[in-house]
Amino acid sequence: MPSTSMRFAAFDRYGPTDVLYETTGPLPPVGPGEVLVRVRAVSVNSAELALRSGAMRPFSGRRFPKRLGTDLVGEIVDPGASRFAAGDHVWGMFGRRMGSAAEYVAVSADRLDHVPDGLDSVQAASLIIGSTAITALRDKAALAPGERLLVRGATGGVGFVAVQFGKTLGAHVTGLAGAKNLDLVRELGADEAIDYRAPGELGRFDVILDTAGTDLPAFHRLLTPRGRLVEIAFNPDRLLATVGYALLHSRRRTRPIRFFSGNPHSPLIAELGRLVRTGELRPQVDRVFPLAQIAEAHRALELGGVQGKIVVKI
């Protein structure tokens, strides 16, 4: 059994990356329906950057300290009454809260599934947030074979999965990314790889998956009359204006905007695992940092131009 204390990442005020630190505290209590997991790796996601910077202050409040981490990969320590056994290699999401960037977490068993054979913890951590791409393209956009898909941020943490999954669904995929990442966009299977700084005339698209959150009206105009835009990121500097524009168009029958934040449960995570086992999805790790360098991990994501996921190994 683990000791009575553990390490975790936290911050005591909103601000730049240097507000982050590693600290220690007691192991979490395990509630009904939960399991105790020894965490081996988590990914760094844009929502955490927005939380830490204070961009989400109207929703996150001023109670500190706050913790980080939305996904996790690790081993079951205490399975409780779940379907898991001690030692099982699992991956999943922490739910609509943060705190998985820690040595141990108590998490609902229905938010976990077994990691596919052949994936180590770091590789798995690079993929788990990709469940968002499955929901976005299959469920929210109903992407059909032969349709034209545009992925903004095609080598980012959700984008690199969206490019692959778009091809699995039979779409013609165009990926927008920085110039140095265009070869990777093609390796992921995109039919077209375009530098977002000099895109030229992009044409029209049946589905746009926006992972950037900027210039929403301009990209909305690129939709065909029956096109759908799925928004999974908002520009923190113009949050209210962007959300307002999205809400205005969310209920329209033509060119609707659909937005959501990922909150997967076991069946969706199992689907992600199936796509990995069949070779339709592959991991993409940009860089790996130890927990003690959580600030550096955030800084790397803020600098942009990532190729896959920034992963924190615990």
Side-chain angles (χ1 to χ4, degrees):
M1 291 297 292
S3 66
T4 58
S5 66
M6 67 174 188
R7 297 177 296 126
F8 62 92
F11 60 102
D12 294 325
R13 58 185 173 87
Y14 296 121
T17 58
D18 59 10
V19 303
L20 299 175
Y21 61 91
E22 178 191 297
T23 187
T24 60
L27 265 65
V30 181
E34 293 184 331
V35 297
L36 184 65
V37 178
R38 168 62 167 98
V39 181
R40 297 298 180 183
V42 299
S43 71
V44 179
N45 298 293
S46 58
E48 297 170 79
L49 272 58
L51 173 68
R52 186 217 72 231
S53 71
M56 304 301 293
R57 188 182 290 111
F59 310 101
S60 56
R62 294 182 176 274
R63 294 184 62 182
F64 294 98
K66 294 189 185 298
R67 298 184 48 182
L68 296 163
T70 60
D71 53 46
L72 65 130
V73 183
E75 294 97 31
I76 298 289
V77 175
D78 180 358
S82 72
R83 63 191 174 96
F84 300 105
D88 281 0
H89 193 204
V90 295
W91 60 346
M93 299 291 290
F94 209 47
R96 298 225 182 264
R97 58 192 175 115
M98 293 195 186
S100 63
E103 283 188 292
Y104 294 91
V105 296
V107 59
S108 178
D110 68 0
R111 293 186 178 277
L112 300 173
D113 199 55
H114 294 94
V115 175
D117 292 341
L119 281 187
D120 63 31
S121 293
V122 168
Q123 292 172 324
S126 79
L127 274 168
I128 185 63
I129 200 67
S131 58
T132 300
I134 298 175
T135 301
L137 297 181
R138 184 186 63 191
D139 303 332
K140 298 294 182 179
L143 181 65
E147 289 193 312
R148 297 193 72 221
L149 166 66
L150 175 67
V151 179
R152 294 188 69 194
T155 61
V158 175
F160 89 88
V161 177
V163 169
Q164 298 177 78
F165 189 58
K167 291 305 298 180
T168 293
L169 294 177
H172 179 281
V173 179
T174 299
L176 285 181
K180 72 182 183 68
N181 290 344
L182 296 183
D183 286 343
L184 176 58
V185 176
R186 298 183 188 96
E187 290 172 16
L188 293 168
D191 300 283
E192 297 178 277
I194 298 175
D195 183 354
Y196 76 91
R197 293 186 180 89
E201 181 60 44
L202 289 170
R204 301 289 176 177
F205 297 91
D206 301 292
V207 173
I208 297 174
L209 176 60
D210 181 21
T211 72
T214 58
D215 303 318
L216 185 56
F219 280 91
H220 187 228
R221 288 192 289 271
L222 298 180
L223 289 174
T224 62
R226 293 183 179 274
R228 295 85 70 198
L229 188 151
V230 182
E231 179 64 67
I232 64 169
F234 292 108
N235 180 1
D237 297 328
R238 301 187 71 249
L239 183 62
L240 294 179
T242 306
V243 171
Y245 184 88
L247 286 172
L248 177 65
H249 292 273
S250 63
R251 297 187 179 277
R252 295 189 175 183
R253 292 187 176 182
T254 59
R255 301 194 303 164
I257 296 176
R258 295 162 184 164
F259 58 99
F260 74 104
S261 60
N263 189 30
H265 288 72
S266 297
L268 181 57
I269 300 166
E271 174 67 8
L272 183 70
R274 185 192 68 78
L275 292 165
V276 172
R277 284 189 291 272
T278 59
E280 293 166 277
L281 295 182
R282 66 173 178 85
Q284 181 67 37
V285 179
D286 185 289
R287 276 163 286 178
V288 181
F289 295 86
L291 184 62
Q293 295 180 12
I294 185 68
E296 287 83 351
H298 270 231
R299 194 171 298 119
L301 184 56
E302 282 188 338
L303 288 173
V306 298
Q307 296 188 340
K309 289 299 293 185
I310 304 288
V311 175
V312 174
K313 190 174 182 180
I314 304 174

